[in-house]
Amino acid sequence: REAADEQSHFDLQMAEASEYLDDKIMAQMDAIKSEISSTFPLVGEKQPTSSLLEQFDDPIFLEKIKNLAVTAPFVRKTRPDGNCFFRAFGFGLLEHLCTHPDEIPSMLERVQSTFEFAMALGYPRVTTEDFFEVFLEQFKFVQSGATIDALLERFQNRDIAEYFVVYLRIVASCFMKGNPDEFVPFMDGTLTIEEYCAMEVEPMYRESDHFHIKAVAGALGVAVRVTYLDRSAGTTATEHVVPEDQKPLVHVLYRPGHYDLLYTA
């Protein structure tokens, strides 16, 4: 009986300790998020790619940045909060449409089809429609003749920017679920496509990988060039276009764990 009481007391202590640690961890995470929010705008101003030199002291990175600045002279930074790829992609696409208005009607058709597909897959209409309407409104805003500065102001509005990302994550998830043969063979087999989307694609602040990029590009018919800034061999950053057989409309710069918008010469 004493042993049982001791074990029960121990379990209670461990539970209390675990709860205390969880609270401390959550508090630390909230503090980090708060610092990031106060330091980094959701989408920043366009600036020279050479400005990235200030962030590195590794000679491999420095050499690659110097060479990259020749072929891609400008970069637009996004907040490093896990939503950076979706935010960079979304702003990059809309910015492209600002200067290519003839492409807007066909893009609007694609955007509308994503909502219809989400409904066919069983997403709840009421909540999904709220996100979709904000998403669609940004394309109509560009169609109305909005300037890039006005678009940037919208993407610096947290409510608009977050709703936009939520829906773009739904778009990616729907494409993966609707085209499992393009993704399942490359998954590790521990999760179904539905489980993967529920855990890694739809939740906000989850970092993006090749699956996310491929899904968004496929759903909206927009090729993306990803430039990888890492410590791999060579003096130039590696580039990869998704999908490979299309001309890229959006260019992103990938650094370990983060994506920014890149502008080629």
Side-chain angles (χ1 to χ4, degrees):
R1 174 67 180 273
E2 290 181 0
D5 289 343
E6 288 179 2
Q7 181 64 40
S8 178
H9 180 65
F10 175 78
D11 291 342
L12 180 60
Q13 286 182 313
M14 289 302 295
E16 291 175 346
S18 177
E19 183 176 351
Y20 171 71
L21 289 173
D22 286 345
D23 289 342
K24 287 195 69 176
I25 292 171
M26 290 302 296
Q28 290 172 348
M29 291 179 66
D30 288 342
I32 292 171
K33 287 181 180 180
S34 178
E35 182 179 355
I36 290 174
S37 297
S38 63
T39 306
F40 298 93
L42 291 166
V43 178
E45 298 285 348
K46 201 172 179 181
Q47 56 187 282
T49 300
S50 58
S51 64
L52 296 173
L53 292 168
E54 303 170 2
Q55 301 177 28
F56 297 92
D57 54 16
D58 186 308
I60 295 178
F61 278 88
L62 294 176
E63 185 67 21
K64 289 186 176 183
I65 292 170
K66 290 176 182 177
N67 290 327
L68 179 62
V70 176
T71 58
F74 294 99
V75 65
R76 191 186 294 275
K77 296 179 182 177
T78 64
R79 182 177 294 174
D81 60 1
N83 289 327
C84 50
F85 166 71
F86 288 98
R87 198 176 292 121
F89 174 88
F91 188 87
L93 172 58
L94 288 164
E95 188 176 30
H96 170 81
L97 293 175
C98 281
T99 55
H100 297 79
D102 57 305
E103 298 178 19
I104 296 176
S106 61
M107 182 56 63
L108 283 172
E109 291 180 7
R110 278 188 173 272
V111 168
Q112 184 64 48
S113 71
T114 65
F115 179 73
E116 295 165 0
F117 191 42
M119 293 301 96
L121 290 180
Y123 281 75
R125 173 174 288 275
V126 176
T127 52
T128 305
E129 195 165 38
D130 287 343
F131 299 126
F132 170 69
E133 288 178 351
V134 172
F135 186 81
L136 178 64
E137 172 58 28
Q138 309 322 306
F139 290 88
K140 291 183 176 180
F141 182 59
V142 170
Q143 187 179 39
S144 71
T147 64
I148 293 174
D149 285 343
L151 180 65
L152 178 60
E153 186 176 345
R154 286 203 168 196
F155 265 71
Q156 290 174 340
N157 178 305
R158 185 175 183 274
D159 291 338
I160 292 176
E162 300 296 71
Y163 267 52
F164 189 93
V165 170
V166 168
Y167 188 73
L168 199 48
R169 284 181 175 275
I170 291 173
V171 169
S173 182
C174 287
F175 186 84
M176 290 184 68
K177 292 175 183 177
N179 300 273
D181 292 346
E182 295 187 30
F183 301 93
V184 172
F186 305 100
M187 297 172 64
D188 61 14
T190 59
L191 298 173
T192 65
I193 194 80
E194 290 78 11
E195 291 170 338
Y196 180 85
C197 288
M199 294 176 62
E200 301 294 338
V201 182
E202 294 175 6
M204 292 287 278
Y205 312 114
R206 299 293 285 182
E207 292 185 4
S208 299
D209 59 21
H210 182 73
F211 283 176
H212 301 72
I213 297 171
K214 183 176 181 179
V216 168
L220 294 177
V222 176
V224 184
R225 172 181 281 133
V226 184
T227 300
Y228 296 89
L229 186 59
D230 54 27
R231 300 194 78 260
S232 59
T235 59
T236 58
T238 303
E239 296 179 348
H240 183 58
V241 178
V242 183
E244 296 179 355
D245 59 346
Q246 293 184 23
K247 179 182 178 180
L249 298 186
V250 177
H251 305 260
V252 296
L253 174 65
Y254 174 77
R255 293 175 276 162
H258 181 62
Y259 295 86
D260 288 318
L261 194 54
L262 194 62
Y263 296 85
T264 57

